[in-house]
Amino acid sequence: MSRFNHILVTGAAGALGRQLRTAGRELAPRIRLSDRVPSTDLQAHEEDFVADLGDFEAVRNAVKGCDAIIHLGGQAIEGPWADILNANIVGTYNVYEAARQCGVSRIIYASSIHAVGYYDRTQTIDASAPPRPDSLYGVSKAYAENLSRYYFDKFGIETVCLRIGSCFPKPADRRHLITWLSYDDFRQLVTACLDAPRVGHMISFATSANNQSFWDNRQASVLGYAPRDNAADFQSEVFGMTAQGDPNDPAVRFQGGSFCAAGHFDDTLKKG
Amino acid sequence: MSRFNHILVTGAAGALGRQLRTAGRELAPRIRLSDRVPSTDLQAHEEDFVADLGDFEAVRNAVKGCDAIIHLGGQAIEGPWADILNANIVGTYNVYEAARQCGVSRIIYASSIHAVGYYDRTQTIDASAPPRPDSLYGVSKAYAENLSRYYFDKFGIETVCLRIGSCFPKPADRRHLITWLSYDDFRQLVTACLDAPRVGHMISFATSANNQSFWDNRQASVLGYAPRDNAADFQSEVFGMTAQGDPNDPAVRFQGGSFCAAGHFDDTLKKG
Amino acid sequence: MSRFNHILVTGAAGALGRQLRTAGRELAPRIRLSDRVPSTDLQAHEEDFVADLGDFEAVRNAVKGCDAIIHLGGQAIEGPWADILNANIVGTYNVYEAARQCGVSRIIYASSIHAVGYYDRTQTIDASAPPRPDSLYGVSKAYAENLSRYYFDKFGIETVCLRIGSCFPKPADRRHLITWLSYDDFRQLVTACLDAPRVGHMISFATSANNQSFWDNRQASVLGYAPRDNAADFQSEVFGMTAQGDPNDPAVRFQGGSFCAAGHFDDTLKKG
Amino acid sequence: MSRFNHILVTGAAGALGRQLRTAGRELAPRIRLSDRVPSTDLQAHEEDFVADLGDFEAVRNAVKGCDAIIHLGGQAIEGPWADILNANIVGTYNVYEAARQCGVSRIIYASSIHAVGYYDRTQTIDASAPPRPDSLYGVSKAYAENLSRYYFDKFGIETVCLRIGSCFPKPADRRHLITWLSYDDFRQLVTACLDAPRVGHMISFATSANNQSFWDNRQASVLGYAPRDNAADFQSEVFGMTAQGDPNDPAVRFQGGSFCAAGHFDDTLKKG
Amino acid sequence: MSRFNHILVTGAAGALGRQLRTAGRELAPRIRLSDRVPSTDLQAHEEDFVADLGDFEAVRNAVKGCDAIIHLGGQAIEGPWADILNANIVGTYNVYEAARQCGVSRIIYASSIHAVGYYDRTQTIDASAPPRPDSLYGVSKAYAENLSRYYFDKFGIETVCLRIGSCFPKPADRRHLITWLSYDDFRQLVTACLDAPRVGHMISFATSANNQSFWDNRQASVLGYAPRDNAADFQSEVFGMTAQGDPNDPAVRFQGGSFCAAGHFDDTLKKG
Amino acid sequence: MSRFNHILVTGAAGALGRQLRTAGRELAPRIRLSDRVPSTDLQAHEEDFVADLGDFEAVRNAVKGCDAIIHLGGQAIEGPWADILNANIVGTYNVYEAARQCGVSRIIYASSIHAVGYYDRTQTIDASAPPRPDSLYGVSKAYAENLSRYYFDKFGIETVCLRIGSCFPKPADRRHLITWLSYDDFRQLVTACLDAPRVGHMISFATSANNQSFWDNRQASVLGYAPRDNAADFQSEVFGMTAQGDPNDPAVRFQGGSFCAAGHFDDTLKKG
């Protein structure tokens, strides 16, 4: 019943990767789990493949035999430039170039809010708004969106870039009331990206059906993503746990939150 | 209670026409049914009027005495140029010109997705997107949208152009998961077009509240159309009955579906 | 739990002001009620402050000690130019200038549909559409939106301008089916404006979740306003009570309704 | 040196057709002149072909052997519906269908300001503005723009639709100060359309470099059209010859000028 | 030859007013000069009328008998609120209301860059960008733009709002390289506004043909304004006389220049 | 007279770098020339600094003491991924990070048409159009545009990204008729970027004043770039030397020209 027979999940040992695995065979009859560390508790339809995204040959071997990729791997928050470069810039190139060489036809890419983190929280943007990354991490996400556009325009490999907000069990701070993506909604969205007959190259914002929003996801409406969770259900709890923010604090002012308030990561390293 | 006293329905013997009739007197106290063939099972408030849309005098007689028209008639799919020309191009001119001569103030026109069929399925368009017809049938629908704009700008005759997706009892293929319009929602939408105090000249997309969509219907939001059905309720059933499509097949790539994959109809006739 | 400690409500003795008071301490621990006439039935957390908006010293005294203002006061419908000038133009300047001098950081301003009343009812507009006021009253509302933008850009005072449609116990005529704002939804929206960590300078349309609409409120989506009432629930009742309108009557044609059909108020005075 | 070897010019005996002929062999080594009446004074590179656009076989014979078409033919102003239908609607279909059957790759189509004549003269529009025809003639022009879009999207036949303003020896009235297209600029524009390596499907406004304008032609900037004439050079002369207009006269208010002030042509016939 | 017979110029004794007078009878056969002080050196076609804009009866007497108004009068830079209120807010109301009562059909209004002064200098805006005034003066200009829109929508009085940049004999500082309007170009623009058969309600930016710009004046292109001067001709001179600015200084950062760097005028008064 | 005292030019030994040197001291009193190879014929105001962009310490030493950078260095056409990665991705990061550490306040960055090469040649785009790179080279250019946005939003370093078309002594093929940038215009544009008091973060297209264009450079109009050359002056010469293109050849169809027709560079290497 699934459109794809053998899907590679990168970053499979991370939080999002582990969540995806709970979908079982819904995604595909056969799922290859790749990460720098082994995945545990393999199910019958799962196979493990340890690989560093920065190593092209390893990545090509991970990709070989698969017809779709859910690319969650890489550095998932701001970090040293060397890590961003290796895991996200070189790593994502390796994934796309391996996909081209191996005939993969569709990739679901975990992009991020931090590709557009410097928009003011009071602006509602859609997917055509120019990137305003808030970190080197965000720069690497915008880079991958453009790289995947190139692989679609020239080689026909389809991609959905999911600009993930804050994917956690529940909203943990006031900004999450806007950006929260529940695990269930995340799984549903990935499934929709796989089921759609055609995705071309598309950018989809990825949050739950929160009352608060600064994103207009209209340009991805063909995916049929119908989120069911709403961060507003946790508002009282969150308000009780957290202090009010100052509207002029960069962490409150901009969509990217605390990423906008931080300096250059490598400075921190030196100071630390 | 109805805004109009006597409504002409063209194409009354077709599938959509018959559905409208189930609304009974809700549309108006008196309804005239027109088609090339007689309508059957007339109710007390209904009257039958056989007419060929290509015959101006017949159309004028059908229109005379009515204050609104629901214009569903004409060639409803791609066909020979001669038929498109007679039924849709000449026929719709006849309807509008008769309406002008007879003082009709509002027309609901059954336009079609095929007026914009060549947009990529991954694009979300609104009613201001330039037409990209996928067939001579689609050309005739775009023509009628412009013709009705002219009759509004110059003569003040109001029109709502309903760009109908796929109006069937239930979704029959995977594309219908995006384009389906249920019969109930169709009736509700036509009623809204009649009830509204003012419609000016407006284009409204016409689908049910399907999760998947490539249309942004914001520009018709004053109509208050609130669809209740959702093709997603039939997704498992449709997935079970139908094969996956190739994302590069024109029938999958474009909004118009199989109309985009077909050649010129008259060629088919010659070959057949 | 509230973001603000002491809120000034202007126009507190009017219909909207009295509705807000029913929210009790939800808005803030302490609420100062200001109007030209005294407010009655004060609760423990309320204090009364009689002031004319046209008197700067009175306004400054009303503002002193408050950290937020809900500015509902002033002339609430079309009236003599002298009243519009004093209550709305001078009055709103007085409120903002007093806010600047007293260090108020956020103002919720009751703007109006009449700032954009001359848009055709069949057009869907968003908050970036240039004002098209339908009355001197509407001109004064657009003026206040620009004044508050200035106080934000130069002095950092945050404002949400609420373009209120028709805030009544229930829809009273056919236009209200589009423009109605229920009292509950009004209270919820004001609360959302107070709770948001950052509002910058924002314009939010203010209606309930009516089926019919001519407003796209996307640009205020960060507020998380989730209206629960729907004028469509009263449609039969309203249709029963009211006559059909002529689509070319300015009161039907334009969003501002009867304000668009009226002449200059001062003429009326002279004639009367 | 020319991109095309054998060009068909329809409407060759009309004013614009005769102007094009003065370009001699610049357009192509061989030029076929088609009209309902014979062309006179044939040059060595010219050939004459009498045909009625409403006659498909005649049109196909006219097209056969040509690799490009400059389609100027048809009813050039408002006229009886029967004439518009035959010459412009059927006629243009005949041209495109013959082009498809005969392998023509590019068509330059003489569209008109009257496809958008109902825009207010104070609005600046570009080619993406929805058509607002001011006449049945204008409806037929908008129809041909959509028909040619269909033949490009489905069959790859390139078209430039030239929305011609007022192509005359010099501006004859005050509206021409905005809409004038000199004969030299017309020839230059047609040449640019032929020389361009790729035109796809494009709409280009067609006026000289007049100071006054209501058109933004940016979307056709790849054509490299660089008009050299300017109606402003004739302003004193025109002001001297013509009376001032009333800004509320439809002929002054709208871009289409007197076409907007006229009623339905067939009425005029009956009255006359 | 002129469209208007008797034109009132307010602010006639100011710098712009005196420049306009050099146009002599080009504007109209008869010109009434109004200001708080008498105009001197009257020509045969000129008449003087001393009036305070804040005095309605005086303004109505000044307007009586004129068929067009060039409204340059009022407070021309930031000043005390009381002055802005009286001269610009009340004064412009008085001009429009008198125009309505006296049957004036067209007004040319001297708006200002300071209505949009808070846009960043690196942003290119057109006339549809929402106002961002940089001063109470700028608020009063945006107010008058909206007021004139109201008088057009309801009463049909045409207005061109000229957002004047920096109208001086020559550019005096580096910002003027962007915003300069020469006296010749100013006169030409006003003449174009008077000559045009229809202006409706329009906003036109008003600078010379400077190389540098942050304004896209496309929406006023029907006026046919063709500026001939260019501040770039003075660049070396200006660079020689003036120091470089800091790109983060509000006076450099924003379009409004030093108005954005100033505080509230009345504070200055108190301090001074 | 120059805004900057000491400018670093990277890629100084390349064609564009050598052209810039002909401007002499106009750019700044002191110019440091950096490239992987030494620059020759140093003038008194020039100093040479050999450095590999991939070596951060070398880049930091090159940057130290400069207050602005004209960053032309790196891989200038499509090449092996390893080269793009080292010279353009790592190299440009090194330049910006060194600029941040050394207090450089403005950078002029040589971006490229190949960041948007996959737009159809018949589309006119402005700087807000999402990148559609046509090569890994183009991906690296879009990356640098985003990286520089980040360094502006977070650290305040100003950048103008110049999307250079085809900078050669004269147009060499038919596509250059659209994309040509003369050396004189290039120098003028760089000078404008240095002279402007404020550039923020800006993308400017960079071609001469060619008749043909597919770029709308309005969003950079504050720079005051006034190109003087026009590729159309070479049209006859170019047409004589070059064959006509096929409109469906990717090299003709897309803005990026032959870059769009090429495969993956590393494949070519393997095959070679």
Side-chain angles (χ1 to χ4, degrees), chain A residues 145-159:
Chain A
E145 292 181 353
N146 287 329
L147 181 77
S148 58
R149 177 85 227 185
Y150 164 66
Y151 271 91
F152 176 66
D153 278 340
K154 185 160 272 178
F155 305 112
I157 299 173
E158 294 192 304
T159 291

Side-chain angles (χ1 to χ4, degrees), chain D residues 116-226:
Chain D
V116 290
Y118 261 115
Y119 281 96
D120 196 291
R121 196 178 280 198
T122 60
Q123 285 179 276
T124 301
I125 62 170
D126 63 25
S128 70
R132 295 190 65 177
D134 57 21
S135 51
L136 293 171
Y137 169 72
V139 170
S140 76
K141 293 289 158 177
Y143 152 85
E145 292 180 353
N146 287 330
L147 182 76
S148 58
R149 177 87 227 185
Y150 164 65
Y151 271 92
F152 175 67
D153 278 341
K154 184 161 273 177
F155 305 112
I157 299 174
E158 293 192 305
T159 290
V160 182
C161 299
L162 298 178
R163 284 194 184 151
I164 295 173
S166 307
C167 196
F168 293 111
K170 60 182 188 178
D173 65 28
R174 292 184 182 214
R175 179 170 158 276
H176 287 186
L177 296 173
I178 315 177
T179 60
W180 186 52
L181 174 66
S182 75
Y183 286 150
D184 283 350
D185 285 336
F186 170 63
R187 267 191 306 268
Q188 188 220 129
L189 178 50
V190 171
T191 305
C193 293
L194 292 171
D195 282 348
R198 173 177 173 81
V199 300
H201 182 272
M202 190 181 291
I203 294 172
S204 175
F205 293 106
T207 66
S208 285
N210 309 324
N211 283 355
Q212 295 177 58
S213 175
F214 31 60
W215 287 344
D216 171 355
N217 203 27
R218 200 173 22 163
Q219 286 167 296
S221 55
V222 79
L223 293 176
Y225 172 52

Side-chain angles (χ1 to χ4, degrees), chain A residues 81 85 90 93 97 100 118 131-135 139 142-143 146 149-151 153-154 259-260 262 264 267, chain F residues 81 85 90 93 97 100 118 131-135 139 142-143 146 149-151 153-154 259-260 262 264 267:
Chain A
W81 163 244
L85 178 66
V90 173
Y93 170 77
E97 180 54 19
R100 183 181 76 87
Y118 261 115
R132 294 188 66 176
D134 58 19
S135 51
V139 170
Y143 150 86
N146 287 329
R149 177 85 227 185
Y150 164 66
Y151 271 91
D153 278 340
K154 185 160 272 178
F259 280 55
C260 298
H264 191 288
D267 283 1
Chain F
W81 164 244
L85 178 65
V90 172
Y93 170 77
E97 180 54 18
R100 182 181 76 87
Y118 260 116
R132 295 189 63 176
D134 57 19
S135 52
V139 170
Y143 151 86
N146 288 329
R149 177 88 225 182
Y150 164 66
Y151 271 91
D153 278 339
K154 186 161 272 180
F259 279 55
C260 298
H264 191 288
D267 283 3

Side-chain angles (χ1 to χ4, degrees), chain F residues 117-196:
Chain F
Y118 260 116
Y119 281 95
D120 196 291
R121 196 177 283 198
T122 61
Q123 287 177 273
T124 301
I125 61 170
D126 64 24
S128 70
R132 295 189 63 176
D134 57 19
S135 52
L136 293 172
Y137 169 72
V139 170
S140 75
K141 293 288 158 176
Y143 151 86
E145 292 181 353
N146 288 329
L147 181 76
S148 57
R149 177 88 225 182
Y150 164 66
Y151 271 91
F152 175 66
D153 278 339
K154 186 161 272 180
F155 305 112
I157 300 174
E158 294 192 303
T159 290
V160 182
C161 299
L162 299 178
R163 285 193 184 153
I164 295 172
S166 306
C167 196
F168 293 110
K170 61 183 189 177
D173 65 29
R174 293 182 181 216
R175 180 170 157 277
H176 288 183
L177 296 174
I178 314 176
T179 59
W180 185 53
L181 174 67
S182 74
Y183 286 150
D184 282 352
D185 285 335
F186 169 63
R187 267 192 306 267
Q188 188 221 127
L189 178 50
V190 170
T191 304
C193 293
L194 292 171
D195 282 347

Side-chain angles (χ1 to χ4, degrees), chain B residues 18-240:
Chain B
R18 291 195 311 272
Q19 282 304 319
L20 265 194
R21 291 178 59 195
T22 65
R25 292 163 174 279
E26 274 181 41
L27 301 180
R30 189 122 205 98
I31 297 182
R32 187 177 297 162
L33 306 171
S34 176
D35 207 308
R36 284 180 302 181
V37 298
S39 290
T40 54
D41 298 318
L42 295 191
Q43 305 297 308
H45 66 285
E46 295 177 325
E47 60 199 47
D48 193 34
F49 195 107
V50 173
D52 184 316
L53 289 168
D55 174 349
F56 179 69
E57 288 308 316
V59 170
R60 192 167 54 178
N61 286 327
V63 167
K64 199 175 295 172
C66 293
D67 50 1
I69 302 173
I70 301 170
H71 180 32
L72 309 173
Q75 171 74 17
I77 53 170
E78 185 63 329
W81 164 243
D83 293 2
I84 299 290
L85 178 65
N86 183 67
N88 291 13
I89 291 181
V90 173
T92 302
Y93 170 76
N94 288 344
V95 168
Y96 273 86
E97 180 52 18
R100 182 181 76 88
Q101 294 183 15
C102 301
V104 167
S105 62
R106 189 175 295 178
I107 299 177
I108 317 301
Y109 171 63
S111 185
S112 164
I113 184 172
H114 298 292
V116 289
Y118 261 115
Y119 281 96
D120 197 290
R121 195 176 283 200
T122 60
Q123 286 178 273
T124 300
I125 60 170
D126 63 25
S128 70
R132 295 189 64 176
D134 57 19
S135 52
L136 293 172
Y137 168 72
V139 170
S140 76
K141 292 289 159 178
Y143 151 85
E145 292 181 353
N146 288 329
L147 181 76
S148 58
R149 176 89 226 183
Y150 163 66
Y151 272 91
F152 175 67
D153 278 340
K154 185 161 274 178
F155 305 111
I157 300 173
E158 293 193 304
T159 291
V160 182
C161 300
L162 299 178
R163 286 193 183 152
I164 295 172
S166 307
C167 195
F168 294 109
K170 60 182 189 177
D173 62 30
R174 295 185 180 213
R175 179 170 157 277
H176 287 184
L177 295 174
I178 315 177
T179 60
W180 185 53
L181 175 66
S182 75
Y183 286 149
D184 283 351
D185 285 334
F186 169 63
R187 265 190 308 266
Q188 188 221 128
L189 178 51
V190 171
T191 305
C193 294
L194 292 171
D195 282 348
R198 174 176 171 82
V199 300
H201 183 272
M202 191 182 292
I203 295 172
S204 175
F205 293 105
T207 66
S208 285
N210 308 323
N211 283 354
Q212 296 178 58
S213 175
F214 32 61
W215 288 344
D216 171 355
N217 203 28
R218 201 174 20 164
Q219 286 167 296
S221 55
V222 80
L223 293 176
Y225 172 52
R228 292 197 201 90
D229 294 309
N230 185 343
D233 295 340
F234 300 83
Q235 178 163 317
S236 309
E237 186 180 335
V238 168
F239 273 29

Side-chain angles (χ1 to χ4, degrees), chain E residues 120 124 213 216 218 244-245 247, chain F residues 2-3 197-199 218 221-222:
Chain E
D120 196 291
T124 301
S213 175
D216 171 355
R218 204 173 19 164
Q244 296 160 16
Chain F
S2 163
R3 166 171 290 270
R198 174 176 170 82
V199 299
R218 200 173 21 164
S221 55
V222 80

